[in-house]
Structure formats: structure tokens, C-alpha cells
Amino acid sequence: MTYSPNHATDGHQLSHLVARLKNAVGELEQMVTACGDTLYLPSRRPDADPDGTGRRATREPSRPTEDVALDDARLQMHEQHDMGTTYLTHAIAYVMGVTAALDRALSRWEGQAPQTNPYGGNVDHPDWAATVAE
């Protein structure tokens, strides 16, 4: 399914979207498991063997710490990990907001009065916002 801001008007049911979200989270769990310790290890590269002797051709002394620290593929993995952490933090907040909004709507539907905020007004916000503590 392609992202569309008009899923509700496009006929997508909430239960269908929840099922899709569960599926996406399952795939994400598998990817996180597969990535494992890649943040701390050098990437796999084919060894250069230009003369067929089975030895790598090097002109400089080996520097394994620098090779790991400056490895482009490992740095890209770090970048994607950090970006994923940021995006998932926001996604959790959105899901919590939807859950809270549905809970409030169900409470109203069942005849319960809206909860009041100790600072005035009620806790129902027009944007149904929720936040995740970081």
C-alpha cells in the first residue's frame, strides 16, 4: 500500500490499517535482528587478490581500528539506525494518540463525561496529540 494522507476517504478501514501496521512491525523486527551488531563491525568486502597469490594487495600498514571507524557502509548503518530511532519515536506517539483518542471517543459513546484537565478545560485536544518521553 502506498502512503496516502486520505486513507479514510479512500475506503481503508482502521482494522485493515492496524493489520498492515502489525505486518510492518514484524518485518522491522526481523530487520533489526538481522542487523544485529553491524553498528560495531566492519562491513564485508571482497578481498582484493590482484596477483592470485591469496594475499590482499596493500601499500600501507593495516589499520583495523580506522578501517572499522571510517567504514562507509558501517557509517551508513549508523545513520539509518539513528534515523529509524527518531522516526519510530514519532510513530509510537502517533499510535498512542490514536489509541487515546479512540478511548476518549468510546468513553463518550458509553455516556461517560469527558475527563477534565486540572489546569482547566478538558483533555480532549482537537489534534488528538500524544507525546512519548525520550
Side-chain angles (χ1 to χ4, degrees):
M1 168 176 27
T2 306
Y3 172 76
S4 167
N6 299 319
H7 283 302
T9 58
D10 291 344
H12 294 283
Q13 298 296 319
L14 187 59
S15 58
H16 173 73
L17 293 174
V18 170
R20 295 285 306 202
L21 180 61
K22 285 181 182 179
N23 185 40
V25 168
E27 291 175 7
L28 178 61
E29 285 177 325
Q30 290 177 351
M31 188 58 64
V32 168
T33 300
C35 290
D37 294 330
T38 58
L39 298 175
Y40 310 106
L41 300 171
S43 64
R44 297 181 180 176
R45 292 182 223 126
D47 290 334
D49 185 13
D51 57 3
T53 61
R55 293 178 289 181
R56 288 178 51 177
T58 60
R59 294 189 178 128
E60 303 171 350
S62 175
R63 295 191 169 115
T65 303
E66 290 178 15
D67 289 346
V68 173
L70 302 176
D71 181 24
D72 289 337
R74 192 189 66 79
L75 292 174
Q76 184 179 14
M77 184 63 76
H78 261 284
E79 182 181 329
Q80 293 303 315
H81 180 273
D82 293 346
M83 193 179 313
T85 301
T86 299
Y87 289 155
L88 287 178
T89 301
H90 291 285
I92 291 167
Y94 281 119
V95 170
M96 289 174 62
V98 169
T99 303
L102 287 171
D103 183 49
R104 289 190 298 267
L106 182 61
S107 293
R108 279 190 177 168
W109 181 84
E110 291 174 338
Q112 297 176 12
Q115 296 177 343
T116 57
N117 184 336
Y119 302 106
N122 64 37
V123 296
D124 292 326
H125 301 287
D127 58 359
W128 308 106
T131 57
V132 175
E134 294 183 33

